[in-house]
Amino acid sequence: MFVSRSFQADIDLLPDMTAFLEASLEEAGAGPKESFDLQLSADEIFTNISLYAYQEKVGEVEITISSTEDAITITFTDSGTPFNPLSLPQPDITLGIDERKIGGLGIHLVRELMDTVTYQRRDEKNILFIEKHRESTRK
Amino acid sequence: MIPMNITVSRNEGVVVFTPDGRLDGHGAGIFDEAIQSAFHDDDSAAVVDMSLVEYLSSAGIRTLLALAKEVKRRGGVMALAGVQEYPMKVLKMAGFHSVFTIVPTVGEGLLACGKDGLALSLIDELSAPSEKHGDVSYQVERAGTGTARLKVRGSLSTLLHARITREDLVESTFTSIKYSIGLGALSPDAGSALPLLGEMITLHGAMVWLPTDGNDTPDFLAPAGEDVGIPVYTAFNITLEGPFHEYISFESEDPDGISLEDLYRQLFSRAKEKQKKCNGIIALAIAGVTAGMTGSGLARSPLKEYSGGLKGTIMDEDAIGEWCSVNPIPHHIGDTLVSFGVGVDITAELSSYDPVALHSLAYLHPAHKGTADQQLHNHGVIFRGVPWDKNAHLEKMIQTLLQEADVADMRHLLNTTRFRRGKIGVAYISEVTEE
């Protein structure tokens, strides 16, 4: 399966993106666990791109979902400011309520939930690729 | 897609948020807005019922963390109740399961918040036993022993009959006055002050007044340390000289609180019971959380030159609409209200007071003579942005509010204004003198 759709990078469109994702993952036959993990990861990435990629300007993000028997992958492509989220330092998740920061938490969750996360800068575009193995194929 | 829906309720003094939907970047934005407007000044604890939230992202965690910090600033605890499996997994992955108080049910959340924390503190209870009148408990702390007197400038009757002229205006400064109320204006000269005269209140040298310039918006002048350079012109003023004899903390069991008139009434009857040296007049400074302020403001300066055709007073039924803007509907619920004013117990002897000065202080409408038991005159300021601190002393609390809070409103208080809890400075007035 292979589906692709472009969204305006706008946090108000997050519900639309989520609906597209839910439908596509169902079509790809994702189990509840994969589906939730991919949704959260896609949510974090879409939110980041919406808030930071284009600053004040309007821009788009293309979301491509493909699935095989073994895995489901999602690719996010935007033409915004060059930014590799994997370069962010790991957040310190042991601090107390007053010291806790939220920055970097989203990508931390993505790394925890996904089996593969890669970033490429190509043709003036940010390309972030995430992959989740199917539960049923895990040994 | 189901949009995020937030229900906010109060349970035993704890704010309970029930978000229904996905707590993602979109839902968190809606939750943030609900939090902004949810807190009353005396709220210090919150429970988030997470039982309808199936999905949580880092944006949702950001909102929960901001809420936990806000509640901590207010000296309380936030608890998450009924967290579902997937959101719990996200909280664990993010390392927040150990930061937040997480409990199975809202009921346990309320317990975790310690509803008793809101009551008058135990230490107060030990040092000053509480008295109970109706739904209200009072804790009394003795304070000054000196003589308290009221100094009256101008006459309330002149004001109410709209007979003020330029000759009635007196220039003065307020930086040295702790508590006063009256009618005045901040203006470069008497001539320009006259058409702007409005209700004013002095609190610890700061002046808040409601100019009659048609904007119905209070103006606030904090003492800048030295001479502020702008004179204050007053046509009528009541100043407290001397100490408060008692500081009283009070708290109502009724969420609708106690009215200003009932507070005065209870203090008068308590004074009789306890055989206080009370001759029938008391002055009160109150800082409290209002359960609804009702107020009025002059819409037009009560000048003789404006009063053509006025037969009685500006408070008469046929005139009040023209002269006053009255709002009898309770508002500012949950905000901090600081008032100062005086009350005269009309059923008391009152013979120990100078009758002329007394007449200047309190004008009793002929229509109300015989029916009213007390005559009250109070002005109040609504402060926003500083949570209620039940342990702060009245005077310290007022200073903090003047320095840190925003002035949101200022009015002549109607007697139906209600307080949920508060601190009162009580001065038993033994003398009223004309200035």
Side-chain angles (χ1 to χ4, degrees):
Chain A
M1 192 201 84
F2 182 92
V3 284
S4 185
R5 195 161 139 187
S6 282
F7 291 90
Q8 200 174 310
D10 178 348
I11 191 78
D12 286 342
L13 296 180
L14 184 60
D16 292 358
M17 198 282 295
T18 306
F20 163 70
L21 210 64
E22 267 182 3
S24 307
L25 290 171
E26 197 186 328
E27 198 189 318
K33 184 177 156 18
E34 290 123 59
S35 183
F36 258 126
D37 292 354
L38 283 161
Q39 276 190 53
L40 179 61
S41 301
D43 168 342
E44 297 292 352
I45 294 164
F46 182 84
T47 302
N48 256 323
I49 293 171
S50 301
L51 296 178
Y52 306 114
Y54 296 100
Q55 271 101 36
E56 300 303 300
K57 294 193 288 282
V58 179
E60 299 226 313
V61 50
E62 187 188 25
I63 299 178
T64 304
I65 305 170
S66 68
S67 70
T68 64
E69 269 183 29
D70 301 330
I72 299 173
T73 66
I74 310 179
T75 311
F76 301 83
T77 310
D78 71 74
S79 316
T81 316
F83 176 63
N84 176 7
L86 302 177
S87 67
L88 284 175
Q90 285 277 356
D92 185 344
I93 62 168
T94 61
L95 297 171
I97 192 168
D98 290 323
E99 295 79 33
R100 278 311 284 269
K101 301 277 188 300
I102 293 290
L105 192 60
I107 196 69
H108 166 76
L109 294 176
V110 176
R111 282 169 138 160
E112 290 282 312
L113 293 166
M114 295 294 109
D115 293 302
T116 316
V117 185
T118 60
Y119 169 81
Q120 278 189 315
R121 177 80 187 165
R122 202 170 59 204
D123 303 333
E124 313 228 307
K125 288 184 160 85
N126 296 305
I127 304 167
L128 194 69
F129 170 90
I130 60 175
E131 181 181 48
K132 180 78 177 172
H133 296 148
R134 288 190 193 262
E135 190 89 329
S136 53
T137 63
R138 283 196 183 182
K139 297 288 168 299
Chain B
M1 189 66 26
I2 311 149
M4 167 59 76
N5 222 321
I6 316 271
T7 314
V8 182
S9 58
R10 283 196 156 60
N11 196 326
E12 316 204 0
V14 176
V15 185
V16 180
F17 295 95
T18 311
D20 181 359
R22 295 167 66 93
L23 214 44
D24 56 14
H26 186 72
I30 297 167
F31 196 0
D32 282 337
E33 278 174 32
I35 292 169
Q36 297 274 319
S37 56
F39 283 101
H40 289 175
D41 283 350
D42 56 343
D43 285 327
S44 65
V47 172
V48 183
D49 180 355
M50 295 284 286
S51 60
L52 299 174
V53 176
E54 288 181 2
Y55 179 93
L56 176 70
S57 76
S58 69
I61 295 180
R62 179 197 300 269
T63 296
L64 293 175
L65 179 63
L67 176 62
K69 284 184 174 170
E70 173 62 25
V71 169
K72 195 178 173 201
R73 182 174 82 95
R74 292 163 173 269
V77 172
M78 180 200 80
L80 301 181
V83 182
Q84 294 198 42
E85 190 187 340
Y86 192 80
M88 185 62 101
K89 172 180 157 179
V90 176
L91 285 173
K92 280 182 181 161
M93 256 192 302
F96 272 88
H97 60 301
S98 55
V99 172
F100 295 142
T101 303
I102 300 174
V103 293
T105 65
V106 171
E108 281 161 273
L110 295 174
L111 283 178
C113 289
K115 57 182 183 192
D116 317 7
L118 284 169
L120 298 167
S121 78
L122 183 64
I123 296 163
D124 292 349
E125 181 70 38
L126 292 173
S127 61
S130 70
E131 302 168 15
K132 194 128 194 266
H133 301 276
D135 285 334
V136 185
S137 49
Y138 295 86
Q139 266 165 24
V140 183
E141 181 194 326
R142 280 194 200 162
T145 50
T147 302
R149 59 174 71 83
L150 293 174
K151 285 173 79 175
V152 185
R153 176 193 301 152
S155 158
L156 189 59
S157 173
T158 310
L159 189 168
L160 292 174
H161 288 93
R163 285 184 201 139
I164 291 171
T165 64
R166 189 164 177 154
E167 283 66 53
D168 295 308
L169 285 198
V170 176
E171 184 185 334
S172 52
T173 59
F174 281 81
T175 46
S176 62
I177 292 179
K178 217 161 174 195
Y179 294 103
S180 85
I181 54 170
L183 179 81
L186 276 173
S187 212
D189 55 67
S192 59
L194 263 182
L196 296 176
L197 293 176
E199 280 93 351
M200 51 176 281
I201 179 169
T202 313
L203 298 168
H204 288 240
M207 176 185 165
V208 187
W209 67 298
L210 195 61
T212 44
D213 56 4
N215 294 326
D216 203 31
T217 307
D219 192 14
F220 176 36
L221 181 78
E226 289 163 43
D227 193 354
V228 285
I230 310 169
V232 178
Y233 291 91
T234 57
F236 175 69
N237 202 60
I238 305 170
T239 305
L240 173 66
E241 279 198 344
F244 288 124
H245 299 109
E246 288 166 334
Y247 288 110
I248 301 181
S249 297
F250 70 98
E251 180 164 326
S252 171
E253 273 171 23
D254 183 347
D256 290 334
I258 177 171
S259 68
L260 184 65
E261 57 186 344
D262 283 345
L263 267 181
Y264 269 96
R265 229 168 247 138
Q266 294 198 346
L267 290 171
F268 278 127
S269 83
R270 185 178 163 275
K272 277 175 204 157
E273 239 172 70
K274 307 261 173 196
Q275 299 183 318
K276 297 270 168 200
K277 213 177 149 243
C278 175
N279 300 327
I281 299 179
I282 57 177
L284 303 184
I286 310 174
V289 178
T290 179
M293 178 180 113
T294 55
S296 69
L298 284 174
R300 186 157 71 170
S301 185
L303 305 182
K304 193 173 182 190
E305 60 185 284
Y306 294 168
S307 68
L310 182 72
K311 291 188 190 74
T313 78
I314 59 172
M315 305 303 273
D316 290 351
E317 222 165 282
D318 56 343
I320 192 161
E322 208 179 315
W323 291 88
C324 290
S325 103
V326 182
N327 193 347
I329 299 159
H331 49 306
H332 300 307
I333 293 168
D335 287 336
T336 298
L337 170 59
V338 176
S339 72
F340 175 71
V342 298
V344 180
D345 178 1
I346 294 165
T347 65
E349 184 88 1
L350 297 174
S351 55
S352 66
Y353 299 105
D354 170 9
V356 178
L358 185 60
H359 180 75
S360 300
L361 174 77
Y363 171 83
L364 192 61
H365 194 288
H368 292 156
K369 262 186 188 155
T371 59
D373 57 343
Q374 54 186 12
Q375 170 76 24
L376 309 184
H377 191 167
N378 294 270
H379 292 179
V381 183
I382 293 287
F383 288 99
R384 285 217 185 107
V386 173
W388 176 250
D389 178 359
K390 66 177 193 292
N391 296 316
H393 188 267
L394 174 78
E395 310 279 13
K396 182 80 190 69
M397 185 182 278
I398 292 174
Q399 278 167 15
T400 305
L401 289 167
L402 288 168
Q403 281 161 16
E404 293 172 19
D406 296 323
V407 170
D409 201 358
M410 184 268 161
R411 299 283 136 176
H412 172 95
L413 296 181
L414 302 187
N415 301 342
T416 49
T417 290
R418 302 185 80 85
F419 287 94
R420 206 183 284 157
R421 51 172 56 84
K423 314 262 175 185
I424 314 175
V426 187
Y428 297 98
I429 303 300
S430 33
E431 241 177 84
V432 182
T433 57
E434 283 187 291
E435 236 178 284

